[in-house]
Coordinates of all heavy atoms in Angstrom, one line a residue:
M227 N 120.9 -34.0 188.2 CA 119.5 -33.8 188.4 C 119.1 -33.7 189.9 O 118.3 -32.9 190.3 CB 118.6 -34.8 187.7 CG 118.7 -34.7 186.1 SD 117.9 -36.1 185.3 CE 116.2 -35.9 185.8
R228 N 119.6 -34.6 190.7 CA 119.3 -34.6 192.1 C 119.9 -33.4 192.8 O 119.5 -33.0 193.9 CB 119.8 -35.9 192.7 CG 119.0 -37.1 192.3 CD 117.6 -37.0 192.8 NE 116.8 -38.1 192.2 CZ 116.0 -38.0 191.2 NH1 116.0 -36.8 190.5 NH2 115.3 -39.0 190.7
G229 N 120.9 -32.8 192.2 CA 121.6 -31.6 192.9 C 120.9 -30.3 192.5 O 121.3 -29.3 193.0
T230 N 119.9 -30.4 191.7 CA 119.2 -29.1 191.3 C 117.8 -29.2 191.8 O 117.1 -30.2 191.6 CB 119.2 -29.0 189.7 OG1 120.6 -29.0 189.2 CG2 118.6 -27.7 189.3
E231 N 117.3 -28.1 192.4 CA 116.0 -28.0 193.0 C 114.9 -28.3 191.9 O 113.9 -29.0 192.2 CB 115.8 -26.7 193.7 CG 114.4 -26.5 194.3 CD 114.2 -27.5 195.5 OE1 115.2 -27.9 196.1 OE2 113.1 -27.9 195.7
R232 N 115.1 -27.8 190.8 CA 114.1 -27.9 189.7 C 113.8 -29.3 189.3 O 112.7 -29.7 189.0 CB 114.4 -27.0 188.5 CG 113.5 -27.1 187.4 CD 113.9 -26.2 186.2 NE 113.1 -26.4 185.1 CZ 111.9 -25.9 184.9 NH1 111.3 -25.1 185.8 NH2 111.2 -26.1 183.8
T233 N 114.9 -30.2 189.3 CA 114.8 -31.5 188.7 C 115.0 -32.6 189.7 O 115.0 -33.8 189.4 CB 115.8 -31.7 187.6 OG1 117.2 -31.4 188.1 CG2 115.6 -30.7 186.5
R234 N 115.2 -32.3 191.0 CA 115.5 -33.3 192.0 C 114.4 -34.3 192.2 O 114.7 -35.4 192.7 CB 116.0 -32.6 193.3 CG 114.9 -31.8 194.0 CD 115.5 -31.0 195.2 NE 116.1 -31.9 196.1 CZ 115.5 -32.4 197.2 NH1 114.2 -32.0 197.4 NH2 116.1 -33.2 198.0
R235 N 113.2 -33.9 191.9 CA 112.1 -34.9 192.1 C 111.6 -35.6 190.9 O 110.6 -36.3 190.9 CB 110.9 -34.1 192.8 CG 111.2 -33.6 194.2 CD 110.0 -32.9 194.8 NE 110.2 -32.4 196.1 CZ 110.9 -31.3 196.4 NH1 111.3 -30.5 195.5 NH2 111.1 -31.0 197.7
V236 N 112.3 -35.4 189.8 CA 111.9 -36.1 188.5 C 112.3 -37.6 188.6 O 113.4 -37.9 188.9 CB 112.6 -35.4 187.3 CG1 112.3 -36.2 186.0 CG2 112.2 -34.0 187.1
P237 N 111.3 -38.5 188.5 CA 111.6 -39.9 188.6 C 112.5 -40.3 187.4 O 112.2 -39.9 186.2 CB 110.2 -40.6 188.5 CG 109.3 -39.6 187.9 CD 109.8 -38.3 188.3
I238 N 113.5 -41.2 187.6 CA 114.4 -41.7 186.6 C 114.3 -43.2 186.5 O 114.4 -43.9 187.5 CB 115.8 -41.2 186.9 CG1 115.9 -39.7 187.0 CG2 116.8 -41.7 185.9 CD1 117.3 -39.2 187.5
I239 N 114.2 -43.7 185.3 CA 114.3 -45.1 185.0 C 115.6 -45.3 184.1 O 115.6 -44.7 183.1 CB 113.1 -45.7 184.3 CG1 111.8 -45.6 185.2 CG2 113.3 -47.1 183.9 CD1 110.6 -46.0 184.6
F240 N 116.5 -46.1 184.7 CA 117.7 -46.3 183.9 C 117.5 -47.5 182.9 O 116.8 -48.5 183.2 CB 118.9 -46.7 184.8 CG 119.5 -45.5 185.5 CD1 119.6 -45.5 186.9 CD2 120.0 -44.5 184.8 CE1 120.2 -44.4 187.5 CE2 120.6 -43.4 185.4 CZ 120.7 -43.3 186.8
L241 N 118.0 -47.3 181.8 CA 118.0 -48.3 180.7 C 119.4 -48.9 180.5 O 120.3 -48.1 180.3 CB 117.5 -47.8 179.4 CG 116.1 -47.1 179.5 CD1 115.7 -46.5 178.1 CD2 115.0 -48.0 180.0
T242 N 119.6 -50.2 180.6 CA 120.9 -50.8 180.5 C 120.9 -52.0 179.6 O 119.9 -52.7 179.6 CB 121.5 -51.2 181.9 OG1 122.8 -51.7 181.7 CG2 120.6 -52.1 182.6
A243 N 122.0 -52.1 178.8 CA 122.0 -53.3 177.8 C 122.5 -54.6 178.5 O 122.3 -55.6 177.9 CB 123.0 -52.9 176.7
G244 N 123.0 -54.5 179.7 CA 123.5 -55.7 180.3 C 123.0 -55.8 181.7 O 122.3 -54.9 182.2
N245 N 123.3 -56.9 182.4 CA 122.9 -57.1 183.8 C 123.8 -56.2 184.7 O 125.0 -56.3 184.7 CB 123.1 -58.5 184.2 CG 122.0 -59.4 183.6 OD1 120.9 -59.0 183.3 ND2 122.5 -60.6 183.2
A246 N 123.1 -55.2 185.4 CA 123.9 -54.3 186.3 C 124.2 -55.1 187.5 O 123.4 -55.7 188.2 CB 123.1 -53.1 186.6
D247 N 125.5 -55.0 187.9 CA 125.9 -55.7 189.1 C 125.3 -54.9 190.3 O 124.8 -53.8 190.2 CB 127.4 -55.9 189.2 CG 128.1 -54.5 189.1 OD1 127.5 -53.5 189.5 OD2 129.3 -54.5 188.6
R248 N 125.6 -55.5 191.5 CA 125.0 -54.9 192.7 C 125.5 -53.5 192.9 O 124.8 -52.6 193.3 CB 125.3 -55.9 193.8 CG 124.7 -55.4 195.2 CD 125.0 -56.5 196.2 NE 124.4 -56.1 197.5 CZ 124.5 -56.8 198.6 NH1 125.2 -58.0 198.6 NH2 123.9 -56.4 199.7
Q249 N 126.8 -53.3 192.7 CA 127.4 -52.0 193.0 C 126.9 -51.0 192.1 O 126.6 -49.9 192.5 CB 129.0 -52.1 192.8 CG 129.7 -50.8 193.1 CD 131.2 -51.0 193.0 OE1 131.7 -52.1 192.7 NE2 131.9 -49.9 193.3
R250 N 126.7 -51.3 190.8 CA 126.1 -50.3 189.8 C 124.7 -50.0 190.2 O 124.2 -48.9 190.0 CB 126.2 -50.9 188.4 CG 127.7 -50.8 187.9 CD 127.8 -51.6 186.5 NE 127.0 -50.9 185.5 CZ 127.4 -49.9 184.8 NH1 128.6 -49.3 185.0 NH2 126.6 -49.3 183.8
R251 N 123.9 -51.1 190.6 CA 122.5 -50.8 191.0 C 122.5 -49.9 192.2 O 121.6 -48.9 192.2 CB 121.8 -52.1 191.3 CG 121.4 -52.9 190.0 CD 120.7 -54.2 190.5 NE 120.2 -54.9 189.3 CZ 119.0 -54.7 188.7 NH1 118.2 -53.7 189.2 NH2 118.6 -55.4 187.7
F252 N 123.4 -50.2 193.1 CA 123.4 -49.3 194.3 C 123.7 -47.9 194.0 O 123.0 -46.9 194.5 CB 124.4 -49.8 195.3 CG 124.5 -49.0 196.6 CD1 123.6 -49.1 197.6 CD2 125.6 -48.1 196.7 CE1 123.6 -48.4 198.7 CE2 125.6 -47.3 197.9 CZ 124.7 -47.5 198.9
R253 N 124.6 -47.7 193.0 CA 125.0 -46.3 192.6 C 123.8 -45.7 191.9 O 123.5 -44.5 192.1 CB 126.2 -46.3 191.7 CG 126.6 -44.9 191.3 CD 127.8 -45.0 190.3 NE 128.1 -43.6 189.9 CZ 128.9 -43.3 188.9 NH1 129.5 -44.3 188.2 NH2 129.1 -42.0 188.5
G254 N 123.1 -46.4 191.1 CA 122.0 -45.9 190.4 C 120.8 -45.5 191.3 O 120.3 -44.3 191.2
Y255 N 120.5 -46.3 192.3 CA 119.5 -46.0 193.2 C 119.9 -44.8 194.1 O 119.1 -43.9 194.5 CB 119.1 -47.2 194.1 CG 118.3 -48.2 193.3 CD1 118.7 -49.5 193.3 CD2 117.1 -47.8 192.7 CE1 118.0 -50.5 192.6 CE2 116.4 -48.8 192.0 CZ 116.8 -50.1 191.9 OH 116.1 -51.1 191.2
E256 N 121.2 -44.8 194.4 CA 121.7 -43.7 195.2 C 121.6 -42.4 194.5 O 121.4 -41.3 195.1 CB 123.2 -43.9 195.6 CG 123.7 -43.0 196.7 CD 125.1 -43.3 197.0 OE1 125.9 -43.6 196.1 OE2 125.4 -43.3 198.2
A257 N 121.7 -42.4 193.1 CA 121.6 -41.2 192.3 C 120.2 -40.8 192.1 O 119.9 -39.7 191.5 CB 122.3 -41.5 191.0
G258 N 119.2 -41.6 192.5 CA 117.8 -41.2 192.4 C 117.0 -42.1 191.5 O 115.8 -41.7 191.2
A259 N 117.5 -43.2 191.0 CA 116.7 -44.0 190.1 C 115.6 -44.6 190.8 O 115.7 -45.0 192.0 CB 117.6 -45.0 189.5
V260 N 114.4 -44.8 190.1 CA 113.3 -45.5 190.7 C 113.2 -46.9 190.1 O 112.5 -47.8 190.7 CB 112.0 -44.8 190.4 CG1 112.0 -43.4 191.1 CG2 111.8 -44.6 188.9
D261 N 114.0 -47.2 189.1 CA 113.9 -48.6 188.5 C 115.0 -48.7 187.5 O 115.6 -47.7 187.0 CB 112.6 -48.8 187.8 CG 112.2 -50.3 187.7 OD1 113.1 -51.1 188.0 OD2 111.1 -50.6 187.4
F262 N 115.4 -50.0 187.2 CA 116.3 -50.4 186.1 C 115.5 -51.3 185.1 O 114.8 -52.2 185.5 CB 117.5 -51.2 186.6 CG 118.6 -50.4 187.2 CD1 118.6 -49.9 188.5 CD2 119.7 -50.1 186.3 CE1 119.6 -49.1 188.9 CE2 120.7 -49.3 186.8 CZ 120.7 -48.8 188.1
L263 N 115.6 -51.0 183.8 CA 115.0 -51.8 182.8 C 116.2 -52.3 181.8 O 117.0 -51.5 181.5 CB 114.0 -51.1 182.0 CG 112.7 -50.7 182.7 CD1 111.7 -50.0 181.8 CD2 112.0 -51.9 183.3
H264 N 116.1 -53.5 181.5 CA 117.2 -54.1 180.7 C 116.7 -54.1 179.2 O 115.6 -54.4 178.9 CB 117.5 -55.5 181.2 CG 118.0 -55.5 182.6 ND1 119.3 -55.3 182.9 CD2 117.4 -55.8 183.8 CE1 119.5 -55.4 184.2 NE2 118.3 -55.7 184.7
K265 N 117.7 -53.8 178.4 CA 117.5 -54.0 176.9 C 117.7 -55.4 176.5 O 118.6 -56.1 177.1 CB 118.4 -53.1 176.2 CG 118.2 -51.6 176.5 CD 119.3 -50.7 175.7 CE 119.1 -49.2 176.1 NZ 120.1 -48.4 175.4
P266 N 117.0 -55.9 175.5 CA 115.9 -55.3 174.8 C 114.7 -55.1 175.8 O 114.4 -56.0 176.6 CB 115.6 -56.2 173.7 CG 116.0 -57.5 174.1 CD 117.2 -57.3 175.0
L267 N 114.0 -54.0 175.6 CA 112.9 -53.7 176.5 C 111.6 -54.4 176.1 O 111.3 -54.7 175.0 CB 112.6 -52.2 176.4 CG 113.8 -51.3 176.8 CD1 113.4 -49.8 176.5 CD2 114.2 -51.4 178.3
E268 N 110.8 -54.8 177.2 CA 109.5 -55.4 177.0 C 108.5 -54.2 176.9 O 108.3 -53.4 177.8 CB 109.1 -56.3 178.2 CG 109.9 -57.5 178.3 CD 109.5 -58.5 177.2 OE1 108.4 -58.4 176.6 OE2 110.3 -59.4 176.8
P269 N 107.9 -54.0 175.7 CA 107.0 -52.9 175.5 C 105.9 -52.7 176.6 O 105.7 -51.6 177.1 CB 106.4 -53.1 174.1 CG 107.5 -53.9 173.4 CD 108.0 -54.8 174.5
D270 N 105.3 -53.8 176.9 CA 104.2 -53.7 177.9 C 104.7 -53.3 179.2 O 104.0 -52.5 179.9 CB 103.4 -55.1 178.0 CG 102.7 -55.4 176.7 OD1 102.4 -54.4 175.9 OD2 102.4 -56.6 176.4
I271 N 105.8 -53.9 179.6 CA 106.4 -53.5 180.9 C 106.8 -52.0 180.9 O 106.5 -51.3 181.9 CB 107.6 -54.4 181.3 CG1 107.1 -55.9 181.4 CG2 108.3 -53.9 182.5 CD1 108.2 -56.8 181.7
L272 N 107.4 -51.6 179.9 CA 107.8 -50.2 179.8 C 106.6 -49.2 179.9 O 106.6 -48.3 180.6 CB 108.6 -49.9 178.5 CG 109.0 -48.5 178.2 CD1 109.9 -47.9 179.3 CD2 109.6 -48.3 176.8
R273 N 105.5 -49.6 179.1 CA 104.3 -48.7 179.1 C 103.7 -48.7 180.5 O 103.3 -47.6 181.0 CB 103.3 -49.2 178.1 CG 103.8 -49.0 176.6 CD 102.6 -49.3 175.7 NE 103.1 -49.4 174.3 CZ 103.3 -50.5 173.6 NH1 103.1 -51.7 174.3 NH2 103.7 -50.5 172.4

């Protein structure tokens, strides 16, 4: 998505079932993520 002009500015929130370690978080933010949310999701926070 970040490599395509049409989608490079679309905000991305990653959803993960476990605690992402520091390296995985870094990779996610580097890929363009704006946030990480852990499962199970808090509905109010997600909204």
Side-chain angles (χ1 to χ4, degrees):
M227 292 173 64
R228 289 297 171 262
T230 303
E231 180 62 29
R232 177 179 173 80
T233 58
R234 61 189 302 265
R235 293 181 177 84
V236 175
I238 300 171
I239 295 179
F240 283 124
L241 306 177
T242 179
N245 290 326
D247 58 26
R248 184 175 181 182
Q249 183 176 359
R250 286 172 63 83
R251 284 179 173 276
F252 179 78
R253 183 184 176 189
Y255 288 125
E256 190 178 46
V260 296
D261 205 350
F262 275 85
L263 293 180
H264 298 278
K265 299 178 181 179
L267 301 173
E268 290 289 339
D270 293 338
I271 294 177
L272 175 62
R273 292 191 192 98

